[in-house]
Amino acid sequence: MKKLIVIVSFLLLFISCKKELPVVFNSYNETSEIAEQQNHKIKRMQFNLIQSKYLDMNKVFKPFEEDLAYFSEEDYYNLAPYIIEQDIPSIQESVEKGILTYEKIVLFYLYRIRKFESDNQLALHSIISLNPTVINEAREKDKNRPYDTSYSLYGLPILLKDNINTKGMPTTAGAFALKENKNTDDAFIVQKLKESGALILGKANLSEWAYYFCSGCPVGYSAIGGQTLNPYGRKIFETGGSSSGSGVSVAANYAVAAVGTETSGSILSPSSKNSVVGLKPTVGLLSRTGIIPISSTLDTSGPMTKNVIDNAIFLAAMAGEDSEDSVTKGNDMDINYIENLIKATLKGKRFGVIKRLLSDSIYSVAVNKIKESGAEVIEFNPPQIELTGFLTLLNLDMKTDLPHYFKKYADKNISLTSIQDIINLNLQDSLKRAPYGQQLFNGIVSDTTSLKSFQEIKQGLHNKGVTYFKTPMDSLKLDAVLSINNYHAGFAAVANYPCLTVPMGYQKSGEPISLTFIGKPFSELQLLKMGYAFEKITKIRKQPNNYK
């Protein structure tokens, strides 16, 4: 009898502590899949490859194997209602009530990423690396949780675009050339996020070198991360870029939120293509120190979230004056982006509506809803302006800004000193390292524009961008201009006007489309209030069907 009791007790203990079998990521033969993709009507969607030739997700998940072995599918489904699609205040409330812990939240996201990314029929290839110490960091957050975290990133796991330096993790820009860029300090915005208590869950895939590398190549592709895919239409819809992995990961609920970067459209495009909220701030609001650059003139980072309130919380955590980034000096950083957000209204606001966009039925419906909410809508035709010299601006900035990053912020073992060095390195195995070519990098090297001409081009572009928006905004007394997706990202970039894109619907095909609010420099608070009010009357965002 005693023996029987011992056996039963052992079995009960075994059941209660049962380890889950390890999940294996397997590569597969994608030849037929690639052949079929050549029939896609969009040239950029005719992929040469999908899987990374360099990334082994089994190694990425190895540090979590033991902890995930005791996190069951039942645990996952029990926690899902308190995490999936929930905003930051709601998640923090569940922590306060004891329903969630920060450790459980991290385990949930790790389990979810593994669940979908290990399935070759569902994998989105949006994750490039994970923070190996994030579970232990979450446990520390649980031990030291402050009294009030309602509107805080404290303890919450976020993703960073993989061109943002992060201590203890590689920062690759998706490029083979930076595969070993592992020992760096935190970028300034990462320091700020950590000061707020945020947990860095990992790095998101991106269009390689922030999509200023190859010409006409698929958005969301990088040699290190492979081809990012859109959860609303896997291999059907583009992901937008270059912050592709950030947009896809937020849409698929792989993290609470993500950071993107933008030169022109790189936050707005993937946010709108993946039905998430994306803010492209005024250059100078957020530091660029420790971020792999394209253009010191136009580059900025920005928050990408599932809703506007999270965006405001995220922005507040990232902002700060940085002594190493002169454009942040003297700007008003002490702004409460969350204050009065809940009371925000569209009533009495004046919005400029671009006449030709009204042919888009979803845009037209959104405009009418705004009008019904008490706002004034003024139709106008923007001036006809060409942004001549835009590529020259990017060429000359990147020619000097990227070597500066290598010298000051890259791992000391990185021996690269120029764009030409990267081109030469890639040519040693171009099929793996640059399967779509490196035409834009070649263009940078061959650009011989003089410094004097460059300064004239830069000033001329800025003047044109300001004219494009400021003239109608001043004459019509507009609070914001309403655009679609990243349609006017180039003009906003050179004018240094901030933009907030918010989901406004889905086309008949199921592809997301967003309304983009464009305001004057440093009007982020007003944009967030208008975006929040619009979100409140539409509540349009929905989860991708296969990722619920």
Side-chain angles (χ1 to χ4, degrees):
M1 187 67 180
K2 280 185 179 181
K3 191 174 181 181
L4 181 61
I5 292 170
V6 169
I7 292 170
V8 171
S9 299
F10 177 78
L11 287 172
L12 288 172
L13 181 65
F14 176 77
I15 292 167
S16 65
C17 300
K18 185 181 176 184
K19 289 179 73 172
E20 299 288 314
L21 293 173
V23 173
V24 178
F25 292 78
N26 293 310
S27 59
Y28 64 98
N29 187 330
E30 61 186 28
T31 306
S32 59
E33 191 175 13
I34 295 301
E36 185 179 340
Q37 202 66 23
Q38 304 316 301
N39 298 319
H40 202 289
K41 62 182 180 181
I42 300 173
K43 180 69 175 172
R44 294 194 305 194
M45 291 290 287
Q46 295 170 9
F47 306 141
N48 290 351
L49 70 166
I50 294 173
Q51 300 169 98
S52 168
K53 302 293 185 184
Y54 297 103
L55 185 63
D56 182 352
M57 291 299 282
N58 291 300
K59 290 182 179 178
V60 172
F61 270 90
K62 187 68 177 174
F64 316 113
E65 199 171 87
E66 187 68 16
D67 287 296
L68 286 175
Y70 294 99
F71 187 86
S72 68
E73 189 171 9
E74 184 181 0
D75 293 329
Y76 171 78
Y77 283 110
N78 285 340
L79 296 179
Y82 303 100
I83 299 175
I84 296 288
E85 292 295 300
Q86 298 299 313
D87 60 27
I88 288 170
S90 298
I91 293 174
Q92 294 287 22
E93 184 181 0
S94 292
V95 174
E96 173 68 28
K97 289 178 177 178
I99 298 168
L100 297 174
T101 65
Y102 300 124
E103 181 183 357
K104 285 180 180 178
I105 295 168
V106 167
L107 286 168
F108 176 88
Y109 281 122
L110 289 172
Y111 185 97
R112 183 172 173 81
I113 292 167
R114 189 183 64 176
K115 173 184 171 69
F116 289 110
E117 294 305 302
S118 63
D119 185 337
N120 290 329
Q121 300 304 309
L122 293 171
L124 300 170
H125 307 289
S126 64
I127 303 296
I128 222 167
S129 61
L130 293 168
N131 175 7
T133 63
V134 69
I135 295 175
N136 287 335
E137 291 171 26
R139 289 171 182 149
E140 286 300 311
K141 297 298 182 189
D142 282 320
K143 288 178 187 175
N144 301 298
R145 189 170 68 87
Y147 178 71
D148 186 10
T149 57
S150 304
Y151 295 94
S152 166
L153 284 176
Y154 182 90
L156 300 183
I158 61 169
L159 290 164
L160 306 174
K161 185 177 179 179
D162 196 30
N163 60 350
I164 301 170
N165 278 6
T166 311
K167 196 170 184 177
M169 298 185 68
T171 300
T172 70
F176 171 82
L178 290 182
K179 190 169 179 282
E180 300 304 319
N181 190 31
K182 295 178 177 178
N183 298 304
T184 68
D185 292 327
D186 284 330
F188 183 86
I189 60 165
V190 178
Q191 293 174 28
K192 296 295 292 182
L193 287 166
K194 287 182 176 180
E195 286 170 13
S196 75
L199 294 170
I200 309 304
L201 179 64
K203 297 294 206 62
N205 200 3
L206 69 163
S207 307
E208 190 167 336
W209 295 111
Y211 207 56
Y212 205 66
F213 175 55
C214 48
S215 179
C217 48
V219 288
Y221 172 80
S222 76
I224 298 297
Q227 181 62 55
T228 314
L229 301 171
N230 190 319
Y232 288 92
R234 192 176 177 275
K235 298 183 293 182
I236 300 169
F237 305 139
E238 289 192 295
T239 59
S242 63
S243 305
S244 315
S246 299
V248 167
S249 294
V250 173
N253 283 274
Y254 281 1
V256 170
V259 181
T261 66
E262 174 154 329
T263 305
S264 174
S266 286
I267 290 173
L268 300 178
S269 167
S271 294
S272 54
K273 288 288 188 180
N274 292 282
S275 200
V276 302
V277 177
L279 176 68
K280 193 284 287 191
T282 311
V283 173
L285 186 62
L286 302 180
S287 164
R288 288 87 54 82
T289 298
I291 299 177
I292 298 170
I294 292 178
S295 166
S296 54
T297 306
L298 306 180
D299 287 352
T300 181
S301 59
M304 299 171 70
T305 58
K306 290 181 284 293
N307 52 71
V308 177
I309 195 163
D310 287 3
N311 211 278
I313 293 168
F314 213 166
L315 179 65
M318 294 166 71
E321 186 173 308
D322 174 15
S323 61
E324 292 189 41
D325 190 352
S326 59
V327 297
T328 67
K329 292 180 181 177
N331 296 327
D332 185 6
M333 302 295 184
D334 191 24
I335 299 172
N336 189 332
Y337 292 101
I338 304 145
E339 189 177 6
N340 298 322
L341 199 63
I342 295 168
K343 297 178 182 178
T345 179
L346 296 173
K347 190 174 182 179
K349 299 295 182 186
R350 291 174 61 83
F351 293 101
V353 170
I354 298 170
K355 284 184 180 180
R356 68 176 181 83
L357 296 184
L358 287 167
S359 61
D360 185 295
S361 60
I362 299 175
Y363 178 80
S364 182
V365 167
V367 168
N368 284 331
K369 284 182 179 178
I370 287 171
K371 195 187 298 184
E372 289 167 4
S373 295
E376 293 183 67
V377 169
I378 299 93
E379 296 179 18
F380 76 103
N381 290 311
Q384 296 297 306
I385 296 174
E386 295 292 327
L387 297 180
T388 307
F390 192 86
L391 292 186
T392 303
L393 167 59
L394 302 187
N395 284 346
L396 270 71
D397 264 352
M398 196 170 190
K399 189 182 284 191
T400 57
D401 293 341
L402 189 54
H404 176 70
Y405 169 86
F406 292 152
K407 184 177 180 180
K408 192 163 184 182
Y409 300 109
D411 187 313
K412 299 309 175 189
N413 292 321
I414 299 295
S415 59
L416 301 167
T417 61
S418 67
I419 301 287
Q420 187 64 59
D421 286 349
I422 302 166
I423 293 171
N424 294 342
L425 186 65
N426 287 335
L427 287 174
Q428 293 173 19
D429 189 356
S430 58
L431 286 178
K432 285 176 69 175
R433 300 175 189 178
Y436 298 100
Q438 40 192 345
Q439 301 88 343
L440 294 179
F441 268 23
N442 287 324
I444 293 172
V445 171
S446 62
D447 196 321
T448 57
T449 304
S450 69
L451 183 60
K452 182 183 176 184
S453 295
F454 171 56
Q455 294 300 332
E456 290 172 353
I457 288 168
K458 187 158 68 168
Q459 188 59 52
L461 284 168
H462 177 68
N463 294 342
K464 286 178 180 179
V466 170
T467 299
Y468 192 87
F469 291 117
K470 191 174 187 297
T471 301
M473 289 185 80
D474 285 352
S475 63
L476 301 173
K477 295 182 173 57
L478 303 177
D479 291 292
V481 170
L482 301 180
S483 180
I484 297 174
N485 293 5
N486 61 319
Y487 286 12
H488 297 91
F491 290 103
V494 294
N496 198 19
Y497 276 36
C499 309
L500 177 73
T501 193
V502 182
M504 72 169 172
Y506 300 85
Q507 298 174 25
K508 288 180 181 178
S509 63
E511 185 172 19
I513 184 170
S514 291
L515 185 67
T516 300
F517 297 79
I518 303 170
K520 287 185 177 180
F522 298 102
S523 62
E524 283 81 3
L525 177 59
Q526 295 307 313
L527 290 180
L528 287 165
K529 289 170 76 172
M530 290 183 280
Y532 182 84
F534 174 72
E535 181 184 68
K536 193 164 56 175
I537 63 169
T538 54
K539 295 179 180 175
I540 205 76
R541 174 177 155 76
K542 57 186 179 184
Q543 279 183 263
N545 284 331
N546 293 329
Y547 300 87
K548 290 184 175 177

